[in-house]
Amino acid sequence: MSALPLSGIKILDLTRVLAGPLSAQMLADLGAEVIKIERPGGGDDARAFGPPYLKDPEGKANNNNSFYLCANRNKKSVTVNIATPEGQEIIRELAKTCDVMMENYKVGDLKRYKLDYETIKAINPGIIYCSVTGFGQSGPYAPRAGYDAILQAMGGLMSVTGHLDGEPGAGPMKVGPSIVDYMTGMNSSIGILAALYHRKANGGEGQHVDVCLFDTVIASLSHYAQIYLVNGQTPPRRGTWGNGGMPAGVFRCTDGELMLVVGNDGQFQRTCDVLGAPELATDPRFVKNNDRVVHGKEIMAIFAGLFLKKPVAYWLEELEKAGVPSGPINDFSQVFADPHVQSRGMQVRVDHPLEPDLSLIRNAITFSGTPVKDYRAPPLLGADTKDVLATIGYDEAKVEALKAQKII
């Protein structure tokens, strides 16, 4: 098997919680050596974000919870107190040996420790230094901390998410998972990879990559935000309605619900045939997709009545035969039991010290020549401190001395 795509790349990861760690994990999956720096004692803030935690065989409390486990596989954990001069020196020594340094501290925080971009660049001119923040390195909000839900609100995502106005429970709504963190992690990875390519192609020059949640969520609004930029109007909340082809949304059946997206006029005609109402396809209100968008509430109401006549499985089978996109609304147990999901290997198992058969979600990228096959469990706090420090000349006596001083 060929080496992984990022084999030979070394990353010093000072990020915590979710966006930064997710980015570092993506790069670790692809073969980069990622050294995760954690606080002695407590570690990454995510470790304290609450249950569920893995069960210790001896019943002891531990800090290996789901929040931490989802974003830290394939890394090495090194504990360093960066508030101490000795800890700062460790970081600088490690940075000399790395291609990438990642951090998600408040703007300016690392400058007082001499761990900012300019200081690190002076000792390693080729370093790619990626800062992941709530609001970016410039602008009036730069000093603020930022969490996913705050940025979902401030960036406009919540304003266009939720039940249709006039329906029960209408109003702005947060997307369930920390989706802005995840997208920011992806943007961070893209920025780092692009900077690495630029360095290789253009003479070894490093640079500072500035990625933030606020920019990311605004960019992610894509066609929704573009509607506003074109006509000055914020699109209304659409509930489960789709974003292009109509009709599209959740429809209740006799025994559950399904999601339907009618993407074009041909699909609409075939859907009408499946529903036993072919005359709808020639109704002047619904002939073209633009007509169906204008008369969206009418066609959605008609379809709602028709879908109530039979069970989910019947409709899904008939719609698939007709080539109309539709699907069940799965909970997580149904997702991971789905034969397609299983065939794609989305659930991977790793050997963790507290759980020998721990399930994780695999990296979503597949390669024909350099497949990602081996996954290492998210590390226990400080598991690799001694080994990593040995690579920069810290012998056992020095490590023990630092440990006694609670620097590591």
Side-chain angles (χ1 to χ4, degrees):
M1 185 179 76
S2 301
L4 289 168
L6 296 183
S7 292
I9 296 296
K10 193 171 177 181
I11 298 175
L12 184 58
D13 177 20
L14 274 69
T15 66
R16 303 144 298 155
V17 188
L18 199 55
L22 279 169
S23 174
Q25 175 175 266
M26 292 176 200
L27 302 172
D29 289 346
L30 302 183
E33 178 186 356
V34 175
I35 300 168
K36 180 179 179 69
I37 303 299
E38 301 195 65
R39 282 181 294 113
D44 187 325
D45 293 350
R47 291 183 183 269
F49 275 19
Y53 287 86
L54 295 183
K55 292 180 180 178
D56 187 283
E58 299 176 7
K60 297 178 182 176
N62 69 84
N63 52 22
N64 299 282
N65 63 357
S66 295
F67 210 102
Y68 175 80
L69 294 172
C70 81
N72 290 287
R73 64 172 174 254
N74 287 336
K75 302 180 185 179
K76 297 175 179 179
S77 174
V78 174
T79 50
V80 179
N81 181 356
I82 67 167
T84 65
E86 295 88 348
Q88 294 154 20
E89 182 60 24
I90 289 171
I91 300 301
R92 286 190 290 270
E93 286 300 313
L94 287 170
K96 289 179 183 177
T97 72
C98 289
D99 301 281
V100 179
M101 180 168 165
M102 302 174 64
E103 59 90 10
N104 66 342
Y105 286 78
K106 286 184 183 178
V107 173
D109 266 12
L110 291 183
K111 191 166 188 177
R112 58 197 171 115
Y113 295 151
K114 296 184 179 177
L115 299 177
D116 57 303
Y117 172 59
E118 292 301 329
T119 303
I120 301 301
K121 177 185 176 184
I123 60 174
N124 183 352
I127 197 87
I128 309 300
Y129 188 107
C130 180
S131 296
V132 184
T133 56
F135 296 94
Q137 297 295 301
S138 62
Y141 299 160
R144 294 187 187 180
Y147 289 96
D148 180 278
I150 303 298
L151 277 305
Q152 286 198 34
M154 291 183 67
L157 179 57
M158 284 177 61
S159 77
V160 293
T161 304
H163 295 294
L164 280 73
D165 286 339
E167 289 189 354
M173 186 178 293
K174 188 183 84 68
V175 176
S178 301
I179 194 69
V180 182
D181 276 327
Y182 187 82
M183 292 187 296
T184 303
M186 293 179 71
N187 280 343
S188 300
S189 297
I190 292 167
I192 289 167
L193 292 172
L196 284 169
Y197 177 81
H198 169 77
R199 187 181 73 178
K200 183 175 181 179
N202 295 284
E205 183 182 341
Q207 60 183 305
H208 192 184
V209 180
D210 171 11
V211 184
C212 73
L213 277 72
F214 206 12
D215 294 352
T216 293
V217 68
I218 293 169
S220 77
L221 293 171
S222 57
H223 56 287
Y224 266 58
Q226 193 63 47
I227 289 170
Y228 170 77
L229 294 175
V230 168
N231 66 13
Q233 297 180 13
T234 297
R237 285 180 290 278
R238 299 168 63 87
T240 65
W241 288 24
N243 295 319
M246 280 290 288
V250 170
F251 292 97
R252 189 175 297 280
C253 311
T254 57
D255 63 345
E257 297 168 319
L258 60 79
M259 183 72 196
L260 172 79
V261 176
V262 177
N264 55 51
D265 297 337
Q267 289 178 7
F268 179 66
Q269 182 175 352
R270 297 196 299 276
T271 306
C272 294
D273 291 341
V274 167
L275 291 169
E279 68 280 0
L280 290 174
T282 55
D283 188 310
R285 296 172 297 171
F286 310 135
V287 173
K288 296 293 183 183
N289 192 68
N290 278 343
D291 304 323
R292 297 192 296 276
V293 171
V294 172
H295 297 282
K297 288 188 177 180
E298 296 163 69
I299 190 60
M300 290 292 283
I302 293 169
F303 268 35
L306 295 170
F307 273 106
L308 275 171
K309 295 180 178 180
K310 293 186 184 292
V312 171
Y314 171 84
W315 291 126
L316 291 178
E317 184 176 350
E318 293 304 310
L319 289 166
E320 185 171 350
K321 288 179 189 174
V324 178
S326 62
I329 300 172
N330 290 332
D331 61 23
F332 289 168
S333 67
Q334 292 167 315
V335 168
F336 289 106
D338 187 293
H340 186 82
V341 175
Q342 292 182 350
S343 75
R344 297 287 295 175
M346 288 305 299
Q347 183 175 348
V348 295
R349 298 187 184 278
V350 298
D351 184 10
H352 189 280
L354 300 183
E355 191 167 324
D357 201 24
L358 175 65
S359 290
L360 300 173
I361 303 166
R362 77 159 170 87
N363 190 295
I365 306 170
T366 59
F367 297 87
S368 63
T370 56
V372 180
K373 290 185 176 180
D374 297 321
Y375 291 89
R376 297 190 313 279
L380 296 178
L381 179 60
D384 305 286
T385 303
K386 183 178 176 181
D387 291 343
V388 170
L389 294 191
T391 67
I392 54 170
Y394 284 65
D395 60 23
E396 193 165 342
K398 194 167 184 179
V399 167
E400 289 302 318
L402 291 169
K403 190 174 178 181
Q405 296 172 267
K406 297 188 176 178
I407 293 164
I408 61 173

